[in-house]
Amino acid sequence: MCLFGASALAAEMCKLDGLEKQAANSADCHFYHGTSAYRAGDFATAADYWKRLIALKEVPVDEEHLQASAYNNLGFLYYFGKGVKADKPEAIAYWHRSSKAGNEEAAYHLCHVYADKKVSTFDPKLGGEYCREALRRYGLLKKSSENTNTILHDAQAYLRKMDQ
């Protein structure tokens, strides 16, 4: 009686290695498809998958961080016009959403857009708040990297410049 069989069910599963047991429209499938496309330099496809992820009505609690990361990543793409038309207000809106969800990288991006005097969005009050928040969040990370150290240095430098 089943007209679709196993091949139809398999078409609804994620096609990424290691995620074959996940649904094709799951948060992790969308996120990692976007990440794979980004790493391959296909920014438009990355944006498409991350937009699918943020459009999901329900995301399991243990995957909410993927949605926050997708907002952050979309902010980056829109800010720099990678795969999408550059739109800095849209980028900042994505970063605000991501930062509210606890994403440390989004807090750093907001630190930059508000604390850098060379950027049209300069706002020393917001810049100070986001730089301090980025420092707090990055300070909580269990692992540090060269990139993390650069971010910490930059956020501290912004704060010093604004205090002058």
Side-chain angles (χ1 to χ4, degrees):
M1 284 270 222
C2 182
L3 298 174
F4 295 105
S7 63
L9 291 176
E12 297 175 17
M13 302 309 289
C14 189
K15 303 251 189 275
L16 288 173
D17 289 341
L19 294 177
E20 299 90 346
K21 294 181 181 181
Q22 299 293 320
N25 70 340
S26 66
D28 51 356
C29 190
H30 288 318
F31 182 78
Y32 291 110
H33 262 297
T35 301
S36 294
Y38 180 88
R39 289 180 178 157
D42 185 354
F43 305 122
T45 299
D48 180 57
Y49 275 105
W50 291 329
K51 285 178 184 179
R52 291 180 200 186
L53 171 52
I54 66 171
L56 292 176
K57 299 282 186 232
E58 292 183 30
V59 175
V61 172
D62 65 337
E63 294 180 355
E64 287 176 347
H65 69 285
L66 297 175
Q67 205 167 41
S69 291
Y71 277 107
N72 176 65
N73 297 347
L74 284 165
F76 181 84
L77 295 178
Y78 275 90
Y79 195 82
F80 293 104
K82 292 182 173 280
V84 294
K85 185 176 186 249
D87 185 335
K88 292 188 181 188
E90 184 77 8
I92 291 168
Y94 280 131
W95 285 331
H96 275 284
R97 183 83 184 253
S98 180
S99 182
K100 284 181 183 179
N103 185 281
E104 68 278 348
E105 189 175 343
Y108 170 69
H109 289 306
L110 291 168
C111 164
H112 169 73
V113 300
Y114 292 126
D116 188 339
K117 293 177 181 179
K118 296 179 234 164
V119 177
S120 65
T121 51
F122 176 69
D123 180 324
K125 182 179 183 301
L126 283 174
E129 289 173 7
Y130 280 108
C131 289
R132 282 187 285 282
E133 183 59 17
L135 288 169
R136 185 189 74 75
R137 289 180 186 180
Y138 275 95
L140 293 173
L141 294 178
K142 292 182 172 94
K143 292 183 180 179
S144 184
S145 67
E146 188 175 322
N147 189 46
T148 301
N149 293 334
T150 300
I151 288 168
L152 292 171
H153 176 269
D154 289 351
Q156 291 165 342
Y158 281 132
L159 286 171
R160 281 193 302 276
K161 287 179 186 176
M162 286 188 299
D163 287 341
Q164 296 175 355

